[in-house]
Amino acid sequence: MTEFLAQLAATDRDALTALGHHRSLPKGAYLIAEGARSGPVFAVLSGHVKVFSVTDRGAEVVLAVRGPGALLGELAAVDDEPRAASVTALEPVEVLAIPVETFRAYLTGHPDVTLLLMRTITARLRDADRKRVEFGSHDAVGRVARRLVELAERFGEPDGSEIRITVPFTQDELAGWVGASREAVVKALRILRGRGHVTTQRRTVVIRDLEALRRRAGPL
């Protein structure tokens, strides 16, 4: 999925950038708090963030990982409802903060961007639907394989015949993303390592055989 800013025409991107304020945030900083009723729209300029929700029992459910070019908080800007999820920085990030009313006025004057925003929201809804199907149709190893394929395709750094994923997520966060326990994720990674699909280091995963990993991930 190509992120929002990368899909904008240069003139539209420059106009949007001129409306915002640059912020540098440390690892762990909150950009958005679930349930909040106000706050700006953010565009990620560098670094990665996680989008998550917390269940009634206090468990963290990771909904997505976003990187440079991603738009955050756009749903609340469109429907004026409370924030649907929280967003925190996985590492130091640079973001563009755009006041909601300013963002809405920008959309009014840029209909092509409004259409692109609709497509972005639709793509995220389809992705969420696919992930819900995964929970009932794939085991933990398959779900972990799917998330690693997604990270490799979106954020992977080619390194010869391998792909290095340096997005700094923990095993607990990966567990929250695939809907499994930490123990199940540890076991899944051990299985994938044993088959030669991946190697793991602290906060780094190296994909050694992407096609084999795709096969293990399986179809929906």
Side-chain angles (χ1 to χ4, degrees), residues 128-140 143 146 178-179 219-220:
D129 287 342
R130 284 192 294 269
K131 286 184 171 64
R132 278 193 289 271
V133 172
E134 286 177 17
F135 293 147
S137 60
H138 294 281
D139 60 8
R143 298 200 300 274
R146 277 186 168 272
V178 303
L220 278 176

Side-chain angles (χ1 to χ4, degrees), residues 23 25 31-32 39-44 70-73 83 95-98:
R23 293 185 185 176
L25 300 173
L31 286 78
I32 294 172
V41 175
F42 293 99
V44 181
L71 197 66
L72 306 168
R83 304 288 187 161
V95 298
L96 186 72
I98 308 161

